[in-house]
C-alpha cells in the first residue's frame, strides 16, 4: 500500500460552489510549529468544498492499486450536532464516490496530537478512470487541514498520542485558542435526549419580552375584532 499526502498548494476551492468559505493560511500545527493549511467552513450553513485531481497514469496512480491518503485535521464539529465534515474520493463518476465522515469518530483516526487528528484513509484507485478526485466538504463548523511534514508518515505514526478527550464537541484549539467557551454561571442548563443546551438568562429575558409583545399584539387584535 502506497501513501498519498495532502499538499496545500495542489488544492483549490471548487469554483462550482458559490458558498465556499475557504482560505489558505499558516497555523500552529500538531507540534506547535507554523504549518501551511487550508481552513474550511464557518459556523453557519455555507457549503464549502476543497478539491484536487491526480492523473491515473504510470508514475502517478495505478488503477486497482491500494493507497492511503494521509493528512492532519483539526475541528469540524459544532455544539449543534448538525455539521458536515467529510472526505470524498472518486474517479470520473461522482455518484460512485467513497465518503468518509471525519468528525465525531465516524472514521477512526490514527492518533490525536495537540488537538490535531492524524488520518490515513485507505482506498483502491478506481478502474477505467482518467483521474482520481479528492474533495473535502465542510458545512456548519470550521475545520482545518494540514499536510505531513516531509511526507514522513512513519514519523507521525511514531508520535506518543494524547489521550482522547470527549469533554467538548469541538476540537477547538485553533478556533478557540483559550479553550472551549464555558457557559456563564447564571446560565440555565437544559438536558434533551440528544445533547445539553446552555441558555443564558439574558437570552431568556429577551425571549420573554418578545413573547410578551407577540401576546399583547394578539390580545389587541382580538379586542379590535370583538368591537367590530
Amino acid at each position: 500500500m502506497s501513501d498519498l499526502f495532502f499538499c496545500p498548494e495542489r488544492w483549490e476551492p471548487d469554483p462550482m460552489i458559490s458558498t465556499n468559505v475557504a482560505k489558505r493560511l499558516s497555523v500552529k500545527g500538531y507540534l506547535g510549529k507554523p504549518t501551511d493549511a487550508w481552513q474550511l467552513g464557518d459556523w453557519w450553513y455555507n457549503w464549502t468544498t476543497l478539491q484536487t485531481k491526480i492523473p491515473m497514469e504510470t508514475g502517478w496512480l495505478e488503477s486497482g492499486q491500494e493507497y492511503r491518503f494521509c493528512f492532519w485535521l483539526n475541528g469540524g464539529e459544532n455544539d449543534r450536532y448538525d455539521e458536515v465534515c467529510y472526505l470524498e474520493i472518486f474517479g470520473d463518476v461522482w455518484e460512485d464516490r467513497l465518503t468518509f465522515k471525519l468528525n465525531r469518530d465516524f472514521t477512526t483516526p490514527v492518533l490525536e496530537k495537540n488537538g490535531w487528528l492524524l488520518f490515513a484513509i485507505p482506498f483502491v484507485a478506481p478502474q477505467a478512470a482518467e483521474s482520481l478526485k479528492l474533495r473535502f466538504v465542510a458545512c456548519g463548523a470550521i475545520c482545518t487541514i494540514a499536510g505531513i511534514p516531509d511526507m514522513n508518515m512513519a514519523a507521525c505514526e511514531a508520535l506518543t498520542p494524547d489521550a482522547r478527550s470527549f469533554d467538548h464537541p469541538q476540537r477547538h484549539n485553533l478556533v478557540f485558542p483559550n479553550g472551549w467557551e464555558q457557559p456563564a454561571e447564571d446560565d440555565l442548563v437544559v438536558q434533551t435526549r440528544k445533547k445539553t443546551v446552555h441558555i443564558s438568562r439574558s437570552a431568556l429575558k429577551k425571549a420573554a419580552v418578545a413573547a410578551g409583545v407577540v401576546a399583547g399584539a394578539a390580545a389587541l387584535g382580538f379586542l379590535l375584532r370583538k368591537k367590530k
Side-chain angles (χ1 to χ4, degrees):
M1 182 179 293
S2 301
D3 288 341
L4 299 177
F5 298 93
F6 177 78
C7 299
E9 67 275 8
R10 298 179 182 174
W11 290 68
E12 63 179 3
D14 186 345
M16 300 299 292
I17 306 298
S18 62
T19 56
N20 275 326
V21 180
K23 57 184 176 181
R24 186 175 165 186
L25 72 174
S26 178
V27 298
K28 184 183 293 185
Y30 68 98
L31 290 179
K33 300 177 181 179
T35 187
D36 192 16
W38 275 94
Q39 197 166 84
L40 312 179
D42 55 23
W43 299 111
W44 296 274
Y45 298 96
N46 289 306
W47 284 84
T48 298
T49 301
L50 189 70
Q51 64 180 16
T52 193
K53 181 170 64 175
I54 305 174
M56 295 291 295
E57 300 174 357
T58 302
W60 286 92
L61 286 176
E62 301 286 345
S63 295
Q65 296 299 307
E66 295 181 347
Y67 294 91
R68 295 192 308 173
F69 179 51
C70 307
F71 57 93
W72 287 95
L73 182 141
N74 184 296
E77 297 180 2
N78 62 34
D79 58 355
R80 303 186 305 262
Y81 287 77
D82 63 354
E83 72 284 345
V84 169
C85 178
Y86 53 72
L87 169 71
E88 294 178 338
I89 301 177
F90 56 99
D92 297 336
V93 182
W94 178 75
E95 286 76 9
D96 295 335
R97 68 194 180 279
L98 300 173
T99 301
F100 300 89
K101 295 183 179 180
L102 303 176
N103 55 347
R104 304 193 187 277
D105 280 342
F106 287 107
T107 302
T108 304
V110 176
L111 56 83
E112 178 174 351
K113 192 68 175 179
N114 294 328
W116 287 85
L117 297 183
L118 176 65
F119 282 98
I121 305 294
F123 69 95
V124 176
Q127 302 280 358
E130 293 185 359
S131 62
L132 177 77
K133 285 88 171 177
L134 299 103
R135 303 202 316 169
F136 286 105
V137 183
C139 182
I142 296 173
C143 72
T144 306
I145 305 155
I148 309 296
D150 301 320
M151 298 186 183
N152 188 346
M153 190 63 180
C156 292
E157 291 176 309
L159 293 169
T160 301
D162 295 339
R164 296 299 307 279
S165 174
F166 300 95
D167 294 337
H168 303 298
Q170 162 77 22
R171 297 184 290 275
H172 53 73
N173 62 321
L174 289 183
V175 178
F176 301 106
N178 296 323
W180 182 264
E181 297 175 339
Q182 296 297 320
E185 291 184 0
D186 62 347
D187 280 4
L188 297 180
V189 180
V190 178
Q191 182 70 47
T192 69
R193 295 179 65 181
K194 293 185 177 181
K195 59 182 177 179
T196 301
V197 179
H198 298 274
I199 305 175
S200 67
R201 294 187 183 278
S202 60
L204 285 175
K205 289 179 181 178
K206 292 179 181 178
V209 170
V213 170
V214 172
L220 178 60
F222 174 77
L223 290 174
L224 290 176
R225 288 194 301 272
K226 193 172 182 181
K227 288 182 179 180
K228 288 183 177 181

